[in-house]
Amino acid sequence: MPKKVVLAYSGGLDTSFCIPYLKEGGFEVTTVTADTGGFSDSELKTISQRSKELGATQHITVDLKEQVYQRFVSYVIKGNVLRGQAYPLCVGAERGIQAEALVRVAQEVGAQAVAHGCTGAGNDQVRFDISIKSLAGNLQIIAPIRELDLSREEEVRRLAEWGFDFPSVKKKYSVNQGILGTTIGGGETHDSWMKIPEEAWVITKSPEASGAKPAEITIKWEAGMPVELDGVTFSNKDSNSHELLVRLNERGGALGVGRGIHIGDTVLGIKGRIAFEAPGAMILIAAHRELEKLVLTKWQMQVKDQAASTYGMLLHEGQYFNPVMRDLEALMDSSQSMVSGETLVRLEHGQVSVVGVRSRHSLMDARATYGEGAKLWTGAQAEGFCLISGVQSMLAGGRSTTARS
C-alpha cells in the first residue's frame, strides 16, 4: 500500500515538480490549493487540471479568504500592524492558516506526510514547518526544492524527462497575492538603491497615469473592525465580510494607493527587500489609527501598540500557533471595545488622508479646547500642574549646574 502525502500546490514550477518527484518516491499525492484571495476561478480550474495531469491522485481547493480575514487580518487592522513602520505583512502571514488546511486534509485522507515547495532561502519554509509541527508533530515534512537545491532549469529538465512539458520562461518577479495585498520580489528588489519600475506593479495603477479623480469614502467601525463602506454593510459575522477589504483594494488600487517598499530582517537573519501593494490594508490601518486616537486613553494606546508590535513580529516569523498569540489577541480585543464610530477618508494621488472622525465614545470634551481655554481646571491649577510636572527635570538641571561649578 503506497504512502500518502498532501502537497501545498500553487500550480507553479516548484510545486509542479514536486508531484512526479513524490510519486517517484513511492507516495500517493493529494494536492491542496489554499485560496487566500490570490486566484481567479479560471486559474483555480487550470491548477486543478495541471495537478491531475502531473499525476496527483486528487486535488482539493480550500477557500480560506474569510478565515484569513477573521483570524489574522482582523488583528493586523486592530493592531495597526506595519512591520518596519511600512509593511502590513500581506501574504506571508497567511502561511499558518494554509499549513493548517494541509494538516486537516492530511488527517482526513490518512496521509503520513505533508509537502511544500519552499526553497531553503526564504521565510515561508519556516512558517510552514513551525505551523505543521505545532499542529501535528507526527507528520513528516517533505520539502523537495529545499532538499535538492535545484535550479529552475534543472526542474524543467527533470519534468521533461518524466514526460511533462513545462514552460521554461524565467519570470523576472516572484509575485504572491492574497486579500491583504501583494508582494513582489526579484529584479530591482535585490538592490536597495534601485527604483521599482512601473511594469512590476500588479494590482495598483500609477497615480499619474490612472486619470482617476480623488475620492472620499466613509467607513463605519464597530469594536475595532470596519462594518460599513459608504453605506453598504459588511457584517463581521457574515461569511463575506472580507469583501469590504476586496472593494477597498479595488478602489484604492485605481488611485495608486498602497504601494510601498520594505527592507527588513528575514526570519533567517539576513536583510530582505520587497515591493508590496496593499491598498485596502493601508486605508483601513490609517483610518483605524485615527479613530483610536479619538477614543482610547494614551496609556491604552501605548500598551496596545507595544502588544501589536510583538504580535506582528511573531506573526511574520511563523509563530501564529504559539499560545502567546491568543494572549496578545485577547489584549487587543479588549482594547477595541470603544473603537466604534465613523471615519472620512480621502484618496488622492496615491495618498490616504483621514479628514474626519467621529464616535459616541469620543474623549474630546467641549469643556476643554486645546490651546484656547478649559473649564475642567483653573489657571492656578494649570500653573501648579506645570510646576509639579517639571520638578524632576528642574532638580536634574540644578544637579548638572552644581557638578560643572
Side-chain angles (χ1 to χ4, degrees):
M1 185 174 180
K3 297 176 292 182
K4 294 182 179 180
V5 63
V6 173
L7 168 68
Y9 187 62
S10 67
L13 175 60
D14 288 340
T15 54
S16 291
F17 169 84
C18 291
I19 297 174
Y21 174 80
L22 291 167
K23 283 194 66 180
E24 189 175 66
F27 282 98
E28 180 182 288
V29 183
T30 295
T31 53
V32 175
T33 297
D35 181 12
T36 57
F39 301 107
S40 66
D41 289 343
S42 62
E43 287 172 331
L44 289 173
K45 184 177 180 180
T46 299
I47 288 170
S48 178
Q49 292 173 340
R50 182 175 294 169
S51 166
K52 293 171 183 175
E53 290 169 359
L54 288 165
T57 302
Q58 64 175 325
H59 177 77
I60 299 171
T61 299
V62 185
D63 187 341
L64 296 177
K65 294 189 287 294
E66 187 65 19
Q67 275 203 58
V68 166
Y69 184 78
Q70 295 289 353
R71 292 174 61 185
F72 87 80
V73 172
S74 61
Y75 291 103
V76 170
I77 296 169
K78 290 176 183 179
N80 308 316
V81 175
L82 292 175
R83 187 166 174 80
Q85 307 301 310
Y87 174 52
L89 298 181
C90 290
V91 297
E94 299 171 4
R95 304 312 182 207
I97 292 179
Q98 291 172 329
E100 184 182 54
L102 283 181
V103 169
R104 184 168 59 250
V105 173
Q107 292 169 339
E108 290 172 356
V109 302
Q112 295 78 40
V114 292
H116 59 71
C118 299
T119 70
N123 290 328
D124 281 346
Q125 59 175 329
V126 181
R127 296 166 180 148
F128 272 115
D129 283 17
I130 291 177
S131 298
I132 292 165
K133 287 300 183 184
S134 297
L135 294 167
N138 61 309
L139 287 174
Q140 178 187 359
I141 298 174
I142 305 173
I145 308 303
R146 177 174 65 190
E147 295 162 8
L148 298 173
D149 195 23
L150 297 177
S151 68
R152 182 179 178 88
E153 291 73 21
E154 288 172 317
E155 290 177 49
V156 171
R157 180 182 58 79
R158 292 278 293 273
L159 280 167
E161 290 176 356
W162 285 319
F164 303 109
D165 183 20
F166 203 95
S168 59
V169 177
K170 186 173 183 179
K171 296 179 180 179
K172 184 176 182 180
Y173 302 106
S174 173
V175 177
N176 286 289
Q177 188 171 349
I179 60 169
L180 188 56
T182 297
T183 60
I184 304 161
E188 293 79 7
T189 67
H190 293 314
D191 187 325
S192 62
W193 183 254
M194 293 188 73
K195 179 182 177 181
I196 308 302
E198 190 60 36
E199 65 267 20
W201 303 105
V202 180
I203 65 171
T204 60
K205 294 183 179 180
S206 163
E208 296 78 18
S210 70
K213 295 181 180 179
E216 288 189 353
I217 59 175
T218 301
I219 304 170
K220 184 177 179 180
W221 302 79
E222 289 292 342
M225 287 299 292
V227 295
E228 191 175 290
L229 175 62
D230 287 339
V232 179
T233 299
F234 299 84
S235 170
N236 277 325
K237 295 180 181 179
D238 185 353
S239 62
N240 292 318
S241 58
H242 69 275
E243 287 293 334
L244 185 147
L245 181 58
V246 173
R247 294 195 186 188
L248 281 178
N249 280 334
E250 294 170 352
R251 294 182 66 174
L255 285 158
V257 170
R259 290 185 176 186
I261 300 172
H262 171 59
I263 296 177
D265 296 298
T266 68
V267 186
L268 297 173
I270 60 174
K271 295 290 184 181
R273 182 180 189 239
I274 57 167
F276 66 88
E277 301 167 282
M282 300 307 283
I283 293 168
L284 290 174
I285 288 173
H288 177 263
R289 184 190 296 115
E290 205 64 19
L291 180 58
E292 280 191 325
K293 291 178 185 178
L294 183 68
V295 301
L296 296 186
T297 69
K298 68 177 182 180
W299 302 120
Q300 281 182 299
M301 290 284 291
Q302 182 180 45
V303 172
K304 196 222 73 174
D305 285 350
Q306 291 173 346
S309 177
T310 301
Y311 185 88
M313 177 191 68
L314 293 172
L315 191 60
H316 169 77
E317 300 204 355
Q319 299 291 342
Y320 180 77
F321 293 104
N322 189 299
V324 73
M325 298 295 274
R326 309 294 83 79
D327 299 331
L328 293 168
E329 288 168 355
L331 186 150
M332 285 192 279
D333 283 338
S334 175
S335 76
Q336 300 300 292
S337 62
M338 295 294 177
V339 187
S340 299
E342 290 182 295
T343 50
L344 181 61
V345 181
R346 184 173 177 83
L347 309 178
E348 184 176 15
H349 302 306
Q351 301 299 314
V352 180
S353 303
V354 184
V355 297
V357 57
R358 62 187 178 189
S359 171
R360 63 185 181 275
H361 304 305
S362 171
L363 290 179
M364 289 186 71
D365 194 307
R367 294 172 295 171
T369 304
Y370 177 70
E372 295 184 16
K375 295 181 181 179
L376 292 174
W377 56 80
T378 66
Q381 289 170 331
E383 182 180 1
F385 176 82
C386 295
L387 174 64
I388 293 172
S389 295
V391 165
Q392 197 163 71
S393 294
M394 179 183 67
L395 293 174
R399 179 181 60 191
S400 300
T401 302
T402 302
R404 286 195 297 271
S405 63

